[in-house]
Amino acid sequence: MSWSKLKQQLESFLCPALNGRVEYRATGYRYLPDKAGLCYISVDKKDVLRMSDKTSSIRWYGTEMEVKNDSDIQIPISDEEMEAVRKDTKGAVPEDRLKVIARNRKISEYAKELLTAQASLSKSNFIVVANKFLSTSIEESIESNDILLNILVLVDRRMGKKRILNMSEKMKLKHPIVQYFYELRRSTF
């Protein structure tokens, strides 16, 4: 599918409040086949997400330690995760340390997922993910760990107010750019 048709289809799925505010753009280099070009998602004429560009205003992580040391990241710990740590340590660890250990384990997994998702952002990946979004169900797209798929779902007109509002806990574990689009969508209600 050509870029113009893909862009047209994606923009037809935008919720009415974001129509005209959110734009998908791409650059290509006709005479430089080794240059891949860039893909952008713009909000109010500002490039918010540039594929494979770390200079955007959204926080990009370079290492696992950056994710672990980011105080903005809120990781909820469940009782099951605490119990798993208790079993692993055979009860030899004080209760207050169990929560720290469980949080460190969960944030390590989270950091690996974030870095993997960031690494896959490129123009060609955008086109693949956009085609996947157009051919899969909303539920499947919501549950995905793919940053682009999450963004496309959040700005979709088929996502209702109730469903968006019920996602607040899930959004705490998503990449900052996904959280940005979640807040953008919530601001339209």
Side-chain angles (χ1 to χ4, degrees), residues 7-187:
K7 178 182 175 179
Q8 186 179 21
Q9 279 193 326
L10 289 174
E11 289 179 348
S12 72
F13 278 105
L14 282 174
C15 77
L18 295 177
N19 204 2
R21 290 184 65 196
V22 175
E23 293 180 84
Y24 306 105
R25 299 190 212 159
T27 61
Y29 300 101
R30 184 181 201 173
Y31 298 108
L32 296 171
D34 57 333
K35 273 276 215 200
L38 291 174
C39 227
Y40 310 86
I41 297 179
S42 299
V43 176
D44 298 327
K45 305 290 183 202
K46 290 183 183 176
D47 294 338
V48 177
L49 176 65
R50 289 177 132 197
M51 309 312 155
S52 52
D53 183 20
K54 303 201 187 261
T55 61
S56 68
S57 60
I58 301 297
R59 174 80 194 262
W60 291 93
Y61 299 102
T63 65
E64 189 175 328
M65 287 308 294
E66 286 181 42
V67 177
K68 286 183 177 181
N69 294 331
D70 189 349
S71 61
D72 292 338
I73 296 176
Q74 304 293 320
I75 303 288
I77 306 299
S78 67
D79 291 333
E80 294 84 31
E81 292 161 339
M82 294 279 287
E83 195 57 41
V85 172
R86 189 175 287 119
K87 283 181 182 177
D88 290 347
T89 60
K90 297 179 175 89
V93 177
E95 284 294 314
D96 57 333
R97 288 293 299 160
L98 284 176
K99 189 168 187 171
V100 173
I101 293 169
R103 183 181 186 285
N104 284 341
R105 284 184 182 178
K106 195 165 182 180
I107 206 161
S108 287
E109 293 171 20
Y110 175 68
K112 289 174 185 160
E113 288 175 11
L114 269 182
L115 294 173
T116 302
Q118 281 182 189
S120 70
L121 292 175
S122 68
K123 180 179 177 184
S124 59
N125 188 51
F126 181 84
I127 293 169
V128 169
V129 171
N131 282 317
K132 181 179 177 183
F133 167 73
L134 293 172
S135 63
T136 59
S137 70
I138 289 287
E139 287 76 22
E140 193 177 322
S141 299
I142 291 170
E143 297 301 322
S144 173
N145 288 329
D146 191 300
I147 292 172
L148 293 173
L149 210 50
N150 285 279
I151 291 169
L152 293 172
V153 165
L154 287 171
V155 299
D156 194 303
R157 64 184 151 95
R158 297 172 290 176
M159 289 288 288
K161 180 179 181 178
K162 188 175 181 181
R163 187 184 272 179
I164 293 281
L165 293 175
N166 288 338
M167 294 173 66
S168 62
E169 281 300 312
K170 279 185 188 178
M171 287 300 124
K172 290 180 181 177
L173 297 174
K174 297 289 185 179
H175 191 276
I177 188 70
V178 177
Q179 292 174 7
Y180 170 83
F181 278 95
Y182 176 71
E183 291 303 322
L184 176 71
R185 181 65 191 268
R186 281 186 57 184
S187 71

